[in-house]
């Protein structure tokens, strides 16, 4: 673009693509759907690890978890792995004012207790004051007492400070948009929303959108017969909530009662609609300050969340429900025609009253960094060499900007005859995710093992038509996976088994997939 493009980067926590623009018939998400109608929407985008800190550090640095060496919450990559540049840092070094609101980096050790300030951000990141009450007893039970529940619709006026974190983040982001408009500085503004992360705490009026009789169970609420036990995540964080604890569910496979499953699903949807109103207010403010015509908007999540599929809840697995995320890019003049002065791109839509180009290419969040650099007209960081611990600026993802305006067929044709075997393979477009486990069978720390306790790593490759996962021995002392030591495998053919319930690994020869995943990990 001839003039500079600002970036508004919206990342939400634990959001699977339950959105109208992704074909969900139940959810009411008018504002995100409206953004989608002006955007290119990727229907097959995947996170690199289905847990907050590793995923965020991965896409913000453009490196995979094996390179950031973060699979848990307890190390800072600059000290622990290599002094890697981040996406906001790169924009900052290229003259952008970089601003962080809410949960962008995972707070704590994994971002040096500072959200990686001052490397990544021009001013100290903003955290809503109400954030500290997230896990307090603020949910009113039927007996009138307060609990720390999983399912937690609330009266916002009764909350500490009379607000919720995401409401505060929206207010701060809007304040910053007005400030950057006044000083005419190009900006990279990252806004991280907390919902629908647990507890499912949201303004209670959103329940009205989802009468319980309209809520079904997951299509496959049972543990699949041929699921290797190492692949199962026992959702320990949910069991610790007061309302779930009271159900006394047996560990690890005991199912939750059907009516409670419906309540979780209902509250997850309600939290998504609450999130949608916040995104709507933020995009509406972008219109208000007159910046919709020169601001790229990216909307994504750090990973998905199981809602009872495979008898599982939460994230912590390699299934699509945990790794697949919404991903859309609004690029003025590219994904949409420019609007006239004074016309609105994002009028706020009220969910109580009231799709463009989709790409089916399989893409990964590790590609966000090079893609945004390219869209903003900056030099795209080079691809990382095979080992890159000493390289400050490089990326393990490839820019996906080439999928934006070319028709899918044209991209297919271009690859025609190709000489570089890796690139040809790469063109199959696959996404790689991984998940660590402390043992072959589910135990109390299977969801979130600490580095020193990891014994097995599950590497998972998702292509258009299959998901292949191999669980191999892992040594946490030297971060090495032993592909000679295979503990279990999974293979699902997506066309005939979209929910990934029928593992055919043991009755199929899978050597070709194994070779592919090894080739992919090498690069």
């Amino acid at each position: 673009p001839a003039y500079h493009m600002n970036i508004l980067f919206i990342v939400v926590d634990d959001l699977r693509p339950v959105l109208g623009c992704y074909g969900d018939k139940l959810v009411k998400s008018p504002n995100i759907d409206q953004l989608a109608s002006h955007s290119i929407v990727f229907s097959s985008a995947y996170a690199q690890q289905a847990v907050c800190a590793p995923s965020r550090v991965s896409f913000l640095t453009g490196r995979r978890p094996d390179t950031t060496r973060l699979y848990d919450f307890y190390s800072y990559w600059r000290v622990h792995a290599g002094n890697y540049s981040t996406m906001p840092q790169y924009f900052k070094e290229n003259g952008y004012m970089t601003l962080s609101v809410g949960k962008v980096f995972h707070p704590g050790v994994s971002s040096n207790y500072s959200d990686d300030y001052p490397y990544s951000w021009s001013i100290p990141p903003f955290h809503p004051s109400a954030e500290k009450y997230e896990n307090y007893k603020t949910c009113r039970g039927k007996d009138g007492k307060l609990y720390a529940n999983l399912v937690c619709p609330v009266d916002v006026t009764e909350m500490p400070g009379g607000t919720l974190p995401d409401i505060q983040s929206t207010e701060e982001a809007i304040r910053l948009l007005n400030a950057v408009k006044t000083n005419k500085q190009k900006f990279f503004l990252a806004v991280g929303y907390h919902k629908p992360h647990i507890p499912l705490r949201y303004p209670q009026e959103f329940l009205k959108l989802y009468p319980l009789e309209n809520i079904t169970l997951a299509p496959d609420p049972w543990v699949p017969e041929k699921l290797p036990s190492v692949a199962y995540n026992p959702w320990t964080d949910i069991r610790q909530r007061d309302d779930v604890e009271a159900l006394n569910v047996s560990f690890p496979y005991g199912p939750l009662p059907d009516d409670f499953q419906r309540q979780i699903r209902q509250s997850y949807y309600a939290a998504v609609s609450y999130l949608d109103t916040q995104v709507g207010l933020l995009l509406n403010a972008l219109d208000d300050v007159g910046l919709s015509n020169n601001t790229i908007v990216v909307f994504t999540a750090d990973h998905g969340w199981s809602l009872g599929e495979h008898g599982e809840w939460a994230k912590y697995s390699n299934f699509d429900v945990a790794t697949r995320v919404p991903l859309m890019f609004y690029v003025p003049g590219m994904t949409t025609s420019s609007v006239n002065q004074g016309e609105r791109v994002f009028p706020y839509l009220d969910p109580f009253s009231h799709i463009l180009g989709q790409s089916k290419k399989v893409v990964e969040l590790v590609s966000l960094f090079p893609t945004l650099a390219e869209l903003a007209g900056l030099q795209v960081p080079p691809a990382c060499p095979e080992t890159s611990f000493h390289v400050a600026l490089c990326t393990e993802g490839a820019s996906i900007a080439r999928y934006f305006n070319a028709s899918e067929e044209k991209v297919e044709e271009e690859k025609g005859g190709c000489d570089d075997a890796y690139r040809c393979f790469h063109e199959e477009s696959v996404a790689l995710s991984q998940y660590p486990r402390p043992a072959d069978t589910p135990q109390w720390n299977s969801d979130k093992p600490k580095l020193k306790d990891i014994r097995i790593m599950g590497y998972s490759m998702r292509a258009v038509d299959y998901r292949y996962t191999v669980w191999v021995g892992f040594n946490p002392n030297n971060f090495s996976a032993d592909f000679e030591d295979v503990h279990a495998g999974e293979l699902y053919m997506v066309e005939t088994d979209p929910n990934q319930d029928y593992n055919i690994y043991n009755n199929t020869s899978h050597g070709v997939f194994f070779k592919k995943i090894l080739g992919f990990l090498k690069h």
Side-chain angles (χ1 to χ4, degrees):
Y3 57 100
H4 74 259
M5 280 283 180
N6 303 305
I7 310 283
L8 173 58
F9 182 76
I10 305 171
V11 56
V12 296
D13 211 345
D14 294 19
L15 178 66
R16 57 192 263 164
V18 290
L19 297 164
C21 52
Y22 278 84
D24 192 288
K25 300 286 185 277
L26 186 64
V27 76
K28 294 181 173 53
S29 53
N31 295 289
I32 298 169
D33 298 346
Q34 172 172 256
L35 171 63
S37 73
H38 298 294
S39 301
I40 178 154
V41 176
F42 286 90
S43 56
S44 299
Y46 296 90
Q48 272 48 77
Q49 190 183 328
V51 69
C52 306
S55 171
R56 289 163 187 264
V57 168
S58 171
F59 67 68
L60 288 162
T61 59
R63 320 270 185 134
R64 300 182 184 281
D66 281 346
T67 306
T68 65
R69 295 188 159 172
L70 180 69
Y71 314 102
D72 58 17
F73 297 81
Y74 308 105
S75 63
Y76 178 43
W77 77 92
R78 291 185 191 274
V79 176
H80 175 75
N83 188 15
Y84 311 144
S85 297
T86 67
M87 173 163 58
Q89 177 183 354
Y90 188 60
F91 277 87
K92 184 180 165 203
E93 287 162 358
N94 279 280
Y96 281 71
M97 176 93 170
T98 57
L99 306 159
S100 172
V101 171
K103 185 176 174 183
V104 180
F105 278 99
H106 192 83
V109 188
S110 61
S111 57
N112 204 30
Y113 299 100
S114 65
D115 298 85
D116 197 44
Y117 174 79
Y119 293 101
S120 287
W121 311 108
S122 304
I123 60 174
F126 169 85
H127 283 277
S129 58
E131 205 173 84
K132 59 178 171 291
Y133 305 113
E134 271 295 86
N135 296 309
Y136 277 47
K137 297 190 173 202
T138 55
C139 321
R140 207 167 283 294
K142 289 198 168 69
D143 57 7
K145 294 194 182 108
L146 292 178
Y147 294 93
N149 285 344
L150 170 63
V151 171
C152 187
V154 296
D155 176 343
V156 177
T157 59
E158 289 180 359
M159 290 300 101
T163 187
L164 290 172
D166 287 346
I167 295 172
Q168 290 183 293
S169 291
T170 302
E171 289 163 353
E172 175 66 8
I174 291 172
R175 195 186 69 71
L176 287 171
L177 283 175
N178 282 290
V180 290
K181 184 207 174 171
T182 313
N183 69 16
K184 296 196 164 45
Q185 173 142 34
K186 60 181 177 176
F187 63 86
F188 178 107
L189 168 59
V191 182
Y193 286 115
H194 282 266
K195 289 301 130 217
H197 193 287
I198 63 169
L200 298 168
R201 189 170 72 133
Y202 53 85
Q204 58 200 20
E205 58 270 23
F206 286 93
L207 270 177
K208 290 205 282 275
L209 296 171
Y210 302 102
L212 207 49
E213 59 269 20
N214 295 353
I215 307 292
T216 58
L217 297 180
D220 53 347
W222 62 86
V223 179
E225 196 184 323
K226 294 189 172 164
L227 181 72
S229 54
V230 68
Y232 183 81
N233 73 280
W235 35 281
T236 38
D237 54 354
I238 286 182
R239 295 169 192 270
Q240 288 154 18
R241 307 283 161 170
D242 293 348
D243 50 353
V244 181
E245 209 167 7
L247 298 168
N248 232 337
V249 182
S250 69
F251 185 91
Y253 297 113
L256 290 170
D258 287 5
D259 59 333
F260 193 73
Q261 293 196 33
R262 286 196 179 85
Q263 282 176 40
I264 299 178
R265 289 169 67 92
Q266 173 192 40
S267 274
Y268 187 89
Y269 275 96
V272 172
S273 288
Y274 157 57
L275 165 78
D276 181 78
T277 60
Q278 298 308 307
V279 172
L281 293 166
L282 176 60
L283 294 173
N284 187 47
L286 194 65
D287 268 352
D288 282 343
V289 294
L291 292 171
S292 301
N293 246 345
N294 62 336
T295 302
I296 293 169
V297 181
V298 186
F299 177 87
T300 193
D302 54 358
H303 45 72
W305 214 76
S306 301
L307 283 167
E309 294 85 3
H310 313 112
E312 295 182 307
W313 300 88
K315 45 243 184 185
Y316 317 123
S317 82
N318 279 321
F319 284 115
D320 277 20
V321 281
T323 55
R324 184 172 169 235
V325 293
L327 176 62
M328 56 191 81
F329 294 82
Y330 160 78
V331 188
M334 181 189 265
T335 62
T336 181
S337 48
S338 296
V339 294
N340 299 323
Q341 202 55 42
E343 268 186 64
R344 303 190 76 83
V345 182
F346 303 118
Y348 174 73
L349 300 174
D350 179 351
F352 293 93
S353 62
H354 182 89
I355 201 159
L356 178 91
Q358 280 245 9
S359 172
K360 291 191 168 51
K361 287 280 176 198
V362 175
V363 296
E364 311 179 277
L365 290 187
V366 79
S367 296
L368 280 169
F369 186 171
T371 305
L372 269 176
E374 181 171 346
L375 292 172
L378 303 181
Q379 193 163 1
V380 179
C384 290
E386 199 167 314
T387 51
S388 62
F389 297 107
H390 57 289
V391 184
L393 182 69
C394 70
T395 170
E396 295 183 314
S399 169
I400 55 176
R402 64 185 186 281
Y403 298 147
F404 280 45
N405 38 18
S407 65
E408 306 261 320
E409 293 72 50
K410 193 157 144 256
V411 176
E412 288 299 332
E413 271 163 39
E414 280 168 12
K415 80 177 200 212
C418 83
D419 40 324
D420 169 5
Y422 172 62
R423 208 185 71 82
C424 298
F425 162 62
H426 215 69
E427 283 298 345
E428 187 199 0
S429 84
V430 300
L432 205 72
S433 305
Q434 60 191 100
Y435 213 86
R437 292 281 186 242
D440 284 300
T441 50
Q443 51 185 52
W444 65 273
N445 63 340
S446 288
D447 289 353
K448 291 190 278 191
K450 290 188 171 169
L451 176 63
K452 65 177 176 49
D453 298 322
I454 298 173
R455 294 291 174 269
I456 303 163
M457 188 68 74
Y459 290 96
S460 189
M461 177 171 66
R462 177 65 155 87
V464 175
D465 48 353
Y466 63 86
R467 178 176 282 289
Y468 170 74
T469 305
V470 59
W471 297 89
V472 300
F474 183 84
N475 180 343
N477 301 316
N478 60 5
F479 303 92
S480 66
D482 178 2
F483 286 87
E484 311 271 283
D485 176 24
V486 176
H487 288 235
E490 297 169 79
L491 178 61
Y492 305 101
M493 302 320 272
V494 176
E495 201 174 329
T496 50
D497 179 21
N499 301 321
Q500 299 165 17
D501 292 320
Y502 303 99
N503 178 13
I504 60 168
Y505 180 85
N506 284 339
N507 38 3
T508 314
S509 66
H510 32 75
V512 56
F513 300 110
F514 191 68
K515 270 205 189 68
K516 268 186 189 171
I517 205 164
L518 283 181
F520 195 65
L521 288 166
K522 254 205 166 64
H523 282 269

